[in-house]
Amino acid sequence: MKNDDPKVSPRQKKPLAPDSGMSGRWPGNNNGHETNELSRVCNQVKPEVNREPTVSLRKVESNRRNAQKSTGPKTATGKKRVSRNAVRHGFFSKFLLIQHRDGKESQDEYAGFYADARKHYKPLGWLEEIWLEKIVVGSWRLRRLIRCESGQIARALVGHSYELQQSKADDLADPDSVSSRDPEMDALTDHLLLPEKEELDKLLRYEAMISRQLNHAITELERMQARRKGEATPPTNI
């Protein structure tokens, strides 16, 4: 029995190109038409993905000229204020300074104090900056402690004066009463030049604690800077 199918030569057997819609791939090279089409589509999509703004040379030159016009502050006050920009907001100053109106502390005064300490130690790196501010904070708290002690003494003196005025007013209101107060003793205020014992003990303990912290910060910063410079660092006893 003969086979009715005509013989097909191997050259006539060509695989069918896969459907681009079904397989997700581009069809084979059809004389370069599909390849050109793919390049055209990619070139159209590329600007949409990478949308980086381009700056013209005219804009660059304009920015450069404007930058040359800004030379910073001219006056001594302006230069002094700008020089403190780096230390105006330290690590701890936000919580250290008292902002209440009755005892408000000056941010500019703290910044100036910090700037002087920075000029003295010339710290390098964030770790030296932290130790520097610990020194400034400890010194600031010691100054506040002296202020507190002065305030307590002033309050005691005001209270003493008020008591004398009240006593004189009572004597004038009742001339027949005999005053038991001694004018010479009333004039003595030496015993008021120190706070009461309980308050004084608190102040002394607080001062000792701050002094230890301050000395420790000074020692660590100086040791760190000496080590950075290659100098010998003595052992610390703190």
Side-chain angles (χ1 to χ4, degrees), residues 37-107:
E37 181 66 19
L38 174 61
S39 301
R40 185 182 65 81
V41 173
C42 291
N43 292 332
Q44 292 177 354
V45 175
K46 186 175 180 180
E48 297 180 359
V49 176
N50 187 11
R51 294 182 177 180
E52 296 181 356
T54 57
V55 182
S56 63
L57 294 178
R58 181 181 300 177
K59 185 65 175 179
V60 172
E61 289 296 330
S62 177
N63 293 339
R64 185 179 293 111
R65 288 192 300 269
N66 293 334
Q68 292 176 354
K69 296 178 181 179
S70 177
T71 57
K74 304 290 186 181
T75 63
T77 304
K79 292 180 180 179
K80 184 177 181 180
R81 181 176 300 175
V82 171
S83 66
R84 298 178 180 178
N85 286 343
V87 297
R88 177 168 291 274
H89 303 288
F91 297 105
F92 310 114
S93 63
K94 179 180 179 180
F95 308 100
L96 172 70
L97 301 183
I98 297 174
Q99 301 298 330
H100 193 275
R101 63 181 182 276
D102 294 333
K104 187 174 183 179
E105 296 176 333
S106 173
Q107 176 70 59

Side-chain angles (χ1 to χ4, degrees), residues 7 10 81 83-84 88 112 126 136 144 181 190 200 211 220 228:
K7 294 182 179 181
R81 181 176 300 175
S83 66
R84 298 178 180 178
R88 177 168 291 274
W126 65 272
V136 176
R144 182 187 294 164
R181 303 184 65 92
D190 293 345
L200 182 61
S211 296
E220 288 300 319
R228 172 168 53 83

Side-chain angles (χ1 to χ4, degrees), residues 165-184:
Q165 292 176 2
Q166 287 295 111
S167 178
K168 292 179 180 179
D170 294 339
D171 293 341
L172 292 176
D174 189 5
D176 296 334
S177 64
V178 179
S179 176
S180 61
R181 303 184 65 92
D182 187 352
E184 293 184 0

Side-chain angles (χ1 to χ4, degrees), residues 97-222:
L97 301 183
I98 297 174
Q99 301 298 330
H100 193 275
R101 63 181 182 276
D102 294 333
K104 187 174 183 179
E105 296 176 333
S106 173
Q107 176 70 59
D108 291 337
E109 188 175 359
Y110 177 81
F113 186 46
Y114 196 137
D116 292 338
R118 184 183 178 87
K119 182 179 180 181
H120 175 75
Y121 282 104
K122 298 180 176 63
L124 292 179
W126 65 272
L127 190 55
E128 292 188 8
E129 289 279 359
I130 290 179
W131 284 116
L132 172 66
E133 188 162 6
K134 284 181 177 293
I135 294 173
V136 176
V137 168
S139 303
W140 188 268
R141 293 170 72 186
L142 280 179
R143 191 181 73 163
R144 182 187 294 164
L145 179 65
I146 297 175
R147 175 185 172 191
C148 176
E149 181 182 3
S150 300
Q152 290 186 353
I153 295 173
R155 183 175 60 182
L157 293 173
V158 170
H160 180 70
S161 299
Y162 178 78
E163 290 178 359
L164 291 179
Q165 292 176 2
Q166 287 295 111
S167 178
K168 292 179 180 179
D170 294 339
D171 293 341
L172 292 176
D174 189 5
D176 296 334
S177 64
V178 179
S179 176
S180 61
R181 303 184 65 92
D182 187 352
E184 293 184 0
M185 292 297 297
D186 292 340
L188 296 177
T189 57
D190 293 345
H191 64 290
L192 302 175
L193 298 183
L194 283 177
E196 297 293 335
K197 184 179 183 305
E198 183 179 356
E199 295 296 329
L200 182 61
D201 290 340
K202 291 181 181 179
L203 293 176
L204 292 177
R205 289 196 300 269
Y206 188 62
E207 181 182 8
M209 179 189 68
I210 297 176
S211 296
R212 287 195 301 269
Q213 295 175 352
L214 177 59
N215 292 333
H216 178 64
I218 293 175
T219 301
E220 288 300 319
L221 179 57
E222 291 179 350

